[in-house]
């Protein structure tokens, strides 16, 4: 579909430049339409009679109509098929040639019209098409100069203008040299102007397209930012869910075990039941404090300034005390862990011990946290009843552990089968774990 020129121009400067060139062509066309001297006085000079109209003046209005037609076809540019665009440029060339064939003055009118055609070609075509049209424009200009040099007069109208009277008195050889030099200089000057216009229009178009691309990129960036914000919100919600599950769930599981012991020993051993009840109350207080602490400072370091090894010693001691399950631990890490890596390992071990307490019915657990080459390897093995990993429905437990480890570029594996216990193996790159 054709589109209005002023709406499709990438920059208004190109449209204004066309208008200026049209003005130059019109002024050059009418530069000697009216006599440049007063009409002769017949009563003083009876031998002078009014001169007949020159062929150059006879077709001036027709040439002006051709310029108007060239301007009219510029109101719409054919942004469609290449064949239609090529036909449009051919029509523009034809109207330019018709203007000088009817009105002459090729050295003054033709350059402005050819530059207009070149500007329109720059808007329609890529660089290859622009250069091709520019070469056609330059060849057309040279052809007009050659026709003027050879005194070819299509329609009886000379394409060039007559030499000043002073130059006509020069010898023919010298006059031919001057005329040749003028044509060569005109050809060189038009070539420079044509190249300048191509570069100028190309820069304007490139800047306009860059702005359009920047606007589109900004729009896409805003869309991506909204998506990332939504994704970050979802990930933060998942992280909070993991935090609550890993910390509060651990305390509530231990409290539930102590309350079961209270119910078991309440009739037979009241003192032991009272001790278990006190421990359950303490665990409830710790769980409540942990909830308050997590809500107030969700991003705080859960180890609270302790090293991972010290924090794990406390976790293992509490596990043995509350569950009675035998736990053998070996922790040997020579590198300094980042807060993210230490927190992830602590939470994975805490959640794994909670799952063992709740689901495995194990009597023995082996915990190993070692550095093997460029990896930190965690392995947790229990002798419980095991389960089928593909049918696991433990909620956030295993999923949360996997997400924590994969966020550090590590690998999380669960090896389990019914009746043969469970093994959890975690690997974290040392480079990703060093603070």
């Amino acid at each position: 579909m054709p589109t209005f020129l002023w709406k499709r121009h990438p920059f208004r400067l190109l449209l204004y430049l066309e208008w200026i060139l049209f003005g130059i062509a019109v002024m050059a066309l009418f530069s000697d339409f009216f006599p440049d001297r007063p009409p002769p006085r017949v009563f003083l000079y009876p031998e002078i009679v009014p001169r007949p109209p020159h062929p150059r003046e006879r077709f001036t209005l027709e040439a002006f109509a051709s310029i108007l037609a060239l301007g009219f076809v510029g109101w719409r540019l054919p942004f469609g098929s290449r064949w239609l665009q090529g036909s449009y440029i051919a029509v523009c060339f034809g109207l330019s040639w018709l203007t000088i064939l009817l009105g002459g003055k090729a050295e003054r009118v033709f350059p402005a019209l050819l530059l207009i055609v070149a500007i329109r070609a720059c808007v329609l075509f890529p660089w290859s098409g622009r250069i091709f049209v520019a070469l056609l424009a330059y060849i057309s200009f040279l052809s007009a100069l050659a026709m003027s040099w050879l005194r070819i007069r299509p329609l009886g109208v000379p394409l060039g203008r007559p030499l000043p009277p002073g130059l006509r008195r020069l010898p023919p050889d010298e006059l031919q040299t001057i005329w040749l030099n003028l044509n060569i200089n005109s050809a060189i000057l038009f070539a420079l102007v044509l190249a300048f216009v191509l570069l100028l229009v190309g820069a304007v178009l490139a800047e306009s397209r860059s702005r359009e691309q920047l606007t589109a990129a900004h729009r896409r960036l805003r869309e991506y930012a909204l998506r990332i914000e939504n994704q970050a919100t979802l990930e933060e919600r998942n992280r909070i869910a993991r935090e609550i599950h890993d910390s509060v769930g651990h305390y509530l599981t231990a409290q539930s075990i102590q309350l079961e012991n209270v119910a078991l020993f309440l009739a037979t051993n009241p003192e032991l039941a009272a001790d278990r009840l006190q421990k359950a109350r303490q665990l409830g207080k710790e769980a409540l404090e942990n909830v308050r602490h997590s809500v107030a400072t969700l991003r705080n370091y859960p180890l609270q300034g302790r090293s991972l090894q010290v924090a794990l010693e406390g976790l293992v001691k509490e596990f043995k005390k509350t569950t009675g399950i035998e736990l053998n631990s070996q922790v040997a890490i020579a590198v300094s862990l980042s807060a993210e890596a230490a927190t992830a390992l602590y939470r994975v071990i805490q959640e794994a011990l909670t799952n063992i307490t709740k689901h495995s019915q194990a009597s023995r657990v082996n915990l190993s946290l070692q550095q093997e080459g460029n990896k930190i390897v965690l392995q947790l093995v229990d002798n419980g009843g095991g389960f089928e990993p593909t049918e696991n429905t433990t909620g956030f437990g295993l999923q949360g552990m996997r997400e924590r480890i994969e966020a550090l570029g590590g690998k999380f594996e669960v090896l389990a089968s019914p009746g043969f216990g469970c093994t959890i193996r975690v690997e974290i790159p040392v480079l990703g774990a060093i603070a």
Side-chain angles (χ1 to χ4, degrees):
M1 291 295 293
T3 306
F4 283 109
L5 178 62
W6 62 83
K7 293 183 179 180
R8 292 302 301 266
H9 254 297
F11 201 66
R12 290 296 182 90
L13 176 62
L14 302 183
L15 189 58
Y16 299 154
L17 183 58
E18 280 197 20
W19 292 349
I20 293 173
L21 292 173
F22 272 118
I24 293 174
V26 171
M27 288 189 295
L29 182 65
F30 287 98
S31 60
D32 55 357
F33 182 74
F34 299 103
D36 54 357
R37 60 176 182 243
R41 298 181 179 181
V42 179
F43 61 90
L44 291 180
Y45 305 97
E47 71 279 4
I48 300 179
V49 296
R51 60 184 178 87
H54 196 277
R56 189 194 308 276
E57 299 171 0
R58 188 192 320 163
F59 297 109
T60 299
L61 294 180
E62 289 81 353
F64 178 66
S66 298
I67 295 179
L68 290 181
L70 181 62
F72 178 77
V73 298
W75 288 109
R76 290 174 180 265
L77 291 181
F79 290 92
S81 65
R82 290 300 184 195
W83 181 88
L84 183 61
Q85 293 173 345
S87 300
Y88 173 82
I89 293 298
V91 170
C92 292
F93 271 118
L95 292 174
S96 301
W97 270 104
L98 183 61
T99 300
I100 64 168
L101 292 179
L102 292 173
K105 307 185 182 80
E107 75 285 350
R108 287 179 285 175
V109 178
F110 209 27
L113 301 181
L114 293 177
L115 290 177
I116 292 173
V117 177
I119 291 174
R120 293 178 181 176
C122 288
V123 178
L124 294 175
F125 301 120
W127 271 106
S128 58
R130 299 173 192 175
I131 294 175
F132 178 75
V133 173
L135 289 176
L136 288 181
Y138 190 64
I139 292 173
S140 298
F141 181 75
L142 293 181
S143 300
L145 288 182
M147 293 172 66
S148 176
W149 171 264
L150 298 175
R151 301 182 183 277
I152 298 176
R153 298 188 176 190
L155 304 180
V157 178
L159 297 183
R161 57 181 174 177
L163 293 175
L167 293 179
R168 295 176 190 173
R169 301 188 182 95
L170 296 175
D173 294 340
E174 187 175 351
L175 187 61
Q176 290 292 333
T177 302
I178 294 176
W179 186 248
L180 179 62
N181 291 334
L182 288 176
N183 288 337
I184 293 176
N185 292 335
S186 299
I188 294 175
L189 181 60
F190 181 71
L192 295 176
V193 173
L194 188 60
F196 174 76
V197 169
L198 283 181
L199 295 176
L200 175 63
V201 175
V204 171
L205 290 169
E207 181 184 1
S208 177
R209 293 193 181 100
S210 298
R211 289 183 179 179
E212 292 177 357
Q213 294 173 0
L214 183 61
T215 302
H218 180 67
R219 183 176 61 256
R220 291 194 299 268
L221 184 61
R222 291 184 62 183
E223 295 175 356
Y224 295 155
L226 291 176
R227 294 180 185 177
I228 292 173
E229 182 179 357
N230 294 334
Q231 183 66 23
T233 301
L234 180 61
E235 291 179 357
E236 182 65 12
R237 289 174 179 173
N238 292 336
R239 191 186 70 82
I240 294 172
R242 290 196 303 266
E243 288 288 338
I244 295 176
H245 180 274
D246 294 347
S247 58
V248 179
H250 172 77
Y251 286 109
L252 294 180
T253 300
Q255 185 185 48
S256 177
I257 294 174
Q258 296 300 333
L259 291 176
E260 290 177 1
N261 291 333
V262 170
L264 180 64
F265 296 118
L266 184 60
T268 60
N269 193 341
E271 294 182 358
L272 184 57
D275 180 67
R276 299 298 184 184
L277 181 60
Q278 178 62 29
K279 289 181 178 179
R281 292 175 60 187
Q282 181 63 32
L283 288 172
K285 293 179 180 179
E286 292 179 2
L288 180 60
E289 181 64 26
N290 190 275
V291 169
R292 290 173 178 173
H293 184 267
S294 296
V295 171
T297 56
L298 286 173
R299 298 185 182 275
N300 281 355
Y301 186 35
L303 302 184
Q304 299 179 351
R306 300 173 295 172
S307 67
L308 178 60
Q309 187 167 356
V310 173
L312 289 179
E313 289 176 359
L315 184 63
V316 169
K317 184 178 179 180
E318 180 185 355
F319 177 81
K320 292 179 179 178
K321 184 178 179 180
T322 57
T323 65
I325 300 176
E326 179 184 353
L327 194 156
N328 299 320
S329 63
Q330 296 179 352
V331 180
I333 302 177
V335 297
S336 298
L337 298 180
S338 65
E340 293 79 7
T343 300
L345 291 173
Y346 179 84
R347 291 303 193 195
V348 167
I349 295 172
Q350 185 183 53
E351 173 61 19
L353 294 179
T354 300
N355 288 342
I356 290 172
T357 302
K358 293 167 60 177
H359 307 293
S360 71
Q361 300 178 351
S363 61
R364 186 177 68 256
V365 180
N366 293 324
L367 168 63
S368 173
L369 184 61
Q370 309 284 338
Q371 179 179 351
E372 298 181 4
N374 60 349
K375 297 182 293 185
I376 301 296
V377 179
L378 166 65
Q379 190 162 293
L380 249 166
V381 183
D382 68 71
N383 64 347
F387 62 95
E388 180 59 46
T390 59
E391 300 177 359
N392 175 56
T393 56
T394 56
F396 281 103
L398 294 176
Q399 178 184 353
M401 289 189 281
R402 185 182 303 276
E403 289 175 355
R404 288 182 185 275
I405 299 305
E406 290 180 352
L408 297 173
K411 186 166 78 170
F412 179 86
E413 291 181 323
V414 177
L415 305 175
S417 59
F420 292 94
C422 175
T423 299
I424 294 178
R425 181 178 175 84
V426 173
E427 296 180 3
I428 297 178
V430 171
L431 295 177
I434 296 177

